[in-house]
Amino acid sequence: MLFSLLENAVEACAQDGKIQVSYTVQSEPSSVNAVIRVKDNGCGMGADMLEQIFDPFYTTKFTGRGLGLAAVSGIVKVHGGEIDVESIDGSGSEFTIRLPLLAD
């Protein structure tokens, strides 16, 4: 899951691009979540692309691709989490994954 996000970030960045990965634990009134963020300063995405990025087989790259973000979304949802993305065309993207933590 994390590998797919990192692979997309690397492909979106130019040679001098930057990628930040962070992990935090957030306590909310009804749960405790692990929050993973992957942020890049790559090419970003417009609104039309953002609407489709989690669709199976949607790709802006060569044929045979397009399952990465669909798989990431499926894995996150199966584990009771959620994934959000913020992006500005030409200014990079930030993916935020929230996964519930199990109590001991």
Side-chain angles (χ1 to χ4, degrees):
M1 172 181 73
L2 187 56
F3 178 78
S4 289
L5 290 177
L6 290 171
E7 182 177 32
N8 282 351
V10 167
E11 290 176 356
C13 289
Q15 279 193 319
D16 61 343
K18 294 182 181 170
I19 299 169
Q20 293 176 301
V21 179
S22 65
Y23 168 84
T24 58
V25 175
Q26 284 184 338
S27 295
E28 298 176 5
S30 61
S31 64
V32 178
N33 293 314
V35 180
I36 302 165
R37 287 190 174 88
V38 176
K39 182 177 182 177
D40 66 65
N41 67 346
C43 59
M45 297 174 275
D48 56 331
M49 190 181 298
L50 283 172
E51 291 179 14
Q52 303 176 70
I53 61 170
F54 296 114
D55 294 347
F57 302 109
Y58 175 76
T59 185
T60 60
K61 300 173 182 81
F62 57 87
T63 305
R65 312 245 334 228
L67 287 176
L69 290 177
V72 169
S73 177
I75 292 167
V76 169
K77 288 177 183 176
V78 163
H79 287 90
E82 50 189 52
I83 184 168
D84 297 309
V85 61
E86 293 181 17
S87 186
I88 299 172
D89 198 10
S91 297
S93 302
E94 181 174 359
F95 287 81
T96 302
I97 296 173
R98 289 177 188 80
L99 295 168
L101 293 177
L102 300 175
D104 288 337

